[in-house]
Every structure is written in structure tokens, then in C-alpha cells.
Amino acid sequence: MTLYKASLTAVLLAASAFQMAFAQDAAPYPTKPIRIVVPYPAGGGLDVLSRVIGERLGRALGQPVLVDNKPGGGTLLGAEFVARSAADGYTLMITTDSTMTINQHLYAKLPYDPVKDFTPITQLVLLNQLLLANPAVPANNLKQLIDYAKANPGKLNYASYGSGSQPHLAMETLKAQTGIDILHVPYKGIPQAVPAAVAGEVQLTFSGAASSQAFIKAGRLKALAVGGKKRMALLPDVPTFAESGFPDVPANAWFGLFAPAGTPHGIVMKLHAEVTRIMKDPEFIQKEVVAKSYDLVASTPEEFAVFLVGDSVRNMRAVKISGARVE
């Protein structure tokens, strides 16, 4: 009798949970403004893409979608805010690999769990980073840069977006493979690092084409190499790191959309459907993807979840090579 009652109770609880989940999924959404948190400063490629998507998503859903920049602590500040937010679809996050697959290997302790605290919605785009130099640097390709750095140890420095950021991991990997000595200067983000290289405050940095293309065309920065498997269509004369003999330099990143863990499945799938529809619009692809040398992904939540596992392993190796560690 006791066993029967226990089994009946379990069935009733499961049915109740299912009914609650169904009710949540079936409830009207959205009925108020949505916030997209970007854990980076305004002005970078991630911020720009987030605002374009937010504006179009707002039109599609009939509610304002507001982009809220929360930079700080290597994206920890914004990520923790979203992780602790209500799982109701009204607080989302667009971020990069730093937040989700690098920080866990970099920090001794995180204020969020990148796996347990978030629900992946879609991987938006892949982007390959350019190694950029101030025109005063006497090198026009990666080999010349390495030769100059070897002849002038400690004379060059480079800007990253913080310890453990993608530029930091890429340059430290290159340094480990070549034995060159280049000083690391961390900045808050791309909007600070790229102008610093233009002004000569630092000699080198990394950036996607969206944030640096205008400076390259104006002759205010030189592109020495690019991450990824193939050259950028917009900069076909710039060789890849692989072509230059360094295929393991992790000079690439991605942007992705997340919700707090526990967000109802129906809301996740509605957001996925609308955002990927936006991403696959021909006008959007031309203006926001091709023109900025991104690679369109627009994956399913399941595909994104699988990708995150492999990317975490890749970045674990890069963090180990870099020796970066934040207590």
C-alpha cells in the first residue's frame, strides 16, 4: 500500500510538473519588453550585431528589445546578472566564447556555471580575428613580425580585451611556439584596444573585420594574419595563421544567444525561430554577415550545446598554453 501511494504520488507530481511546464509554454509571450545583456562595452562588433538583432526581434515579437551593456570582470559581471535573472524569457544574453568556454578554465572560481546556469538558444556567427599592427611596426606579415620581435625582445606590446580573452590566448600561443617576447597590455574591450593600436599606445592587437576594416583601408592599421581555415573575402591578401605556419593559434571566436537555465522550452524555441529567421534574411546576411566577414551559423539549441562541449576542450588547451590564471 505504501509503495502504491509513493508511486501514485510520484506520478501525480510528474503530471503536475508537466502541466505547469505546458502552461508556461502556452502562456502568451512576450507581454513586456525583453532585455538582451551584452557583457562587453558598447561599440564593438558584438554590441552592434546585438542591437541589429534586437531591433528586428522587437518588430517580430511586438515588444521592445533593449540591449543592456554590462561590461566588467572579463564578462563575469553581465553573465552573473543573467544567470541570476528570472527564467522567463525576458532577460537574455548575447556573448562570446570568453564567457561560456574560456572563463571556466581561466578563473579559480566563477560566480556562474556556464553549463548549469544557461540554456543555449543559437550560435549566431563565427568570426576570425585579424592580427593587426600599427603602421610604425616594421613588419608586413607574420614572419617579418616574428623576426623583428626576436631581434628586439620586449620592445613590442599588444592589446587584448583582458587576461584569458581570445587575443590573449592567441598571442600567448604564438609566443610559446616561437619564443618571442611581446608584452601583454589588457584593455576593457575592442572599442578600447583597436584605437589604442591606431594611436600607437600599443603596437599590436587582434580584432574582427567589423571593428578594424575602416582603419585598415585608411592605412592606420596593418593586417598581418587572420584566423580560420580560409582567407577573408574582404581582405584576400591577408594570409591565415595556418598558411603562415601556425595552425594552432586560436585566432577565432563566436557570438551566441543564451537564456537563463530553466527558461520554458516553448519560449526558447520561439526565440530560436525568430532569431534564426532574422539571421537567414538575405538583406541581413549581406549587411551584417558578409560585409563584416562573419560566418553565419544560426544553429539549433541542440547543435549549439554539442558545439560548446568541443569548444570548451579547445579553449582549455589554449588557456594551459597561455599560462593565464585569475584567482
Side-chain angles (χ1 to χ4, degrees):
M1 187 67 175
T2 303
L3 179 60
Y4 171 78
K5 286 184 177 180
S7 299
L8 180 61
T9 299
V11 170
L12 290 173
L13 286 173
S16 176
F18 175 81
Q19 289 173 347
M20 289 177 65
F22 180 80
Q24 284 180 306
D25 282 358
Y29 171 85
T31 58
K32 61 181 182 179
I34 297 169
R35 173 192 297 189
I36 295 179
V37 172
V38 174
Y40 288 89
L46 178 69
D47 176 65
V48 171
L49 185 67
S50 299
R51 292 179 186 279
V52 174
I53 290 174
E55 191 273 332
R56 294 192 177 205
L57 182 62
R59 290 205 308 261
L61 296 177
Q63 290 288 342
V65 176
L66 311 174
V67 172
D68 184 4
N69 297 91
K70 289 188 178 296
T75 77
L76 268 62
L77 181 65
E80 182 181 14
F81 177 86
V82 176
R84 305 292 174 255
S85 296
D88 55 9
Y90 291 99
T91 302
L92 309 172
M93 177 172 67
I94 292 181
T95 192
T96 68
D97 46 352
S98 289
T99 306
M100 307 307 295
T101 62
I102 293 177
N103 283 348
Q104 59 189 297
H105 308 298
L106 178 67
Y107 287 82
K109 185 177 181 181
L110 285 180
Y112 64 89
D113 187 310
V115 177
K116 295 180 180 179
D117 289 342
F118 298 95
T119 296
I121 297 174
T122 184
Q123 185 182 17
L124 302 168
V125 296
L126 295 170
L127 63 154
N128 295 313
Q129 299 273 6
L130 293 155
L131 173 57
L132 303 167
N134 181 277
V137 175
N140 294 311
N141 56 52
L142 190 56
K143 182 181 183 305
Q144 291 176 3
L145 176 69
I146 292 168
D147 289 344
Y148 178 78
K150 285 182 176 179
N152 298 272
K155 189 172 182 179
L156 294 174
N157 55 32
Y158 74 97
S160 80
Y161 324 144
S163 182
S165 63
Q166 181 274 327
H168 182 214
L169 299 185
M171 182 59 83
E172 293 303 316
T173 299
L174 181 66
K175 287 168 60 177
Q177 292 180 350
T178 60
I180 57 178
D181 179 14
I182 300 178
L183 179 66
H184 176 215
V185 182
Y187 284 75
K188 287 185 177 181
I190 293 175
Q192 293 77 35
V194 171
V198 172
E201 295 174 15
V202 293
Q203 286 79 52
L204 304 163
T205 193
F206 285 81
S207 173
S211 300
S212 60
Q213 187 176 207
F215 294 116
I216 295 169
K217 288 185 175 180
R220 302 179 70 187
L221 287 173
K222 297 187 290 188
L224 306 184
V226 64
K229 297 179 180 179
K230 60 182 181 180
R231 297 189 182 195
M232 282 186 176
L234 293 179
L235 298 167
D237 294 332
V238 181
T240 65
F241 279 93
E243 287 180 85
S244 304
F246 301 95
D248 296 327
V249 173
N252 41 50
W254 51 261
F255 299 161
L257 175 64
F258 296 84
T263 299
H265 181 69
I267 291 177
V268 169
M269 295 314 296
K270 184 170 187 175
L271 289 166
H272 171 266
E274 292 296 343
V275 171
T276 54
R277 181 187 60 78
I278 291 167
M279 298 288 294
K280 293 177 182 179
D281 175 73
E283 180 189 6
F284 182 93
I285 290 174
Q286 188 59 43
K287 290 184 177 180
E288 306 301 333
V289 179
V290 175
K292 296 174 182 177
S293 288
Y294 296 147
D295 293 332
L296 180 67
V297 182
S299 59
T300 66
E302 294 77 14
E303 290 168 341
F304 195 12
V306 171
F307 171 85
L308 290 169
V309 174
D311 198 56
S312 178
V313 173
R314 179 182 75 102
N315 283 317
M316 176 179 65
R317 294 170 183 155
V319 169
K320 186 175 181 180
I321 289 172
S322 75
R325 188 68 174 168
V326 181
E327 297 299 330

